[in-house]
Amino acid sequence: NGNIYNINQTVTVRAEDNIWAEMQPVVITATKLLDGVTTEQDLGSFAMNSASTSNSRSFTEDGVYQVTATATDAAGNQTVQTIGFTLDKTAPVLSISGTPDGSYNGNPVTLSFAAIESFYETDKVVITVERRNENSVIDRTISFANSGSVMPL
């Protein structure tokens, strides 16, 4: 379904066949992509024990998943179904450097912002900087996705 979740997910596979006793086991596989690395996962199989049989698999690790179930009957007729989703339970890691927190600076300061996130292709970073002087407060928001930005304040 392509949805993004931040909690563990369970995928339930249901197979139906009138001649279920002769059916081959239903095979479940998954492809997981995380941080540019793709891994193939054999999630096992299950035998039909009635005309309609269900079996579930749980997913607990971050990743972009494609889960595939393959059912083949006694005559060799085959059905393949695939579902995709993203599991992202890990918060981004942020850092700011360039001057000590709470410092007063008489000269220009260059701040560096860094964000580490496994799913950077779909996420964006928004930084709000507040500049104060004797008479005013100025807020500036910087947004960027997938690349850095340099912006004078």
Side-chain angles (χ1 to χ4, degrees):
N1 63 12
N3 289 340
I4 300 173
Y5 302 98
N6 64 0
I7 59 173
N8 295 343
Q9 291 299 297
T10 300
V11 173
T12 300
V13 176
R14 184 179 60 151
E16 298 179 359
D17 195 84
N18 291 332
I19 310 174
W20 58 271
E22 302 297 323
M23 204 165 148
Q24 296 179 27
V26 177
V27 177
I28 305 171
T29 60
T31 301
K32 175 182 150 186
L33 173 65
L34 182 65
D35 295 331
V37 177
T38 301
T39 55
E40 301 291 330
Q41 299 176 331
D42 178 357
L43 302 179
S45 61
F46 66 93
M48 298 281 293
N49 58 16
S50 67
S52 179
T53 303
S54 296
N55 201 281
S56 298
R57 299 293 188 270
S58 294
F59 296 84
T60 60
E61 297 177 1
D62 284 4
V64 178
Y65 289 93
Q66 292 290 319
V67 180
T68 301
T70 304
T72 306
D73 68 13
N77 299 311
Q78 189 175 78
T79 298
V80 178
Q81 292 288 314
T82 300
I83 186 170
F85 62 92
T86 299
L87 185 56
D88 181 4
K89 302 188 309 180
T90 306
V93 176
L94 301 174
S95 65
I96 302 171
S97 60
T99 190
D101 186 26
S103 67
Y104 290 87
N105 299 284
N107 295 314
V109 173
T110 300
L111 299 177
S112 296
F113 304 90
I116 300 171
E117 167 63 29
S118 291
F119 302 99
Y120 60 87
E121 297 94 348
T122 58
D123 292 342
K124 69 177 182 177
V125 176
V126 177
I127 300 167
T128 302
V129 178
E130 182 179 277
R131 183 172 76 177
R132 295 176 176 242
N133 62 30
E134 293 176 8
N135 302 317
S136 66
V137 175
I138 300 170
D139 287 335
R140 183 82 180 259
T141 300
I142 304 166
S143 296
F144 58 94
N146 240 348
S147 65
S149 297
V150 176
M151 232 176 212
L153 297 176

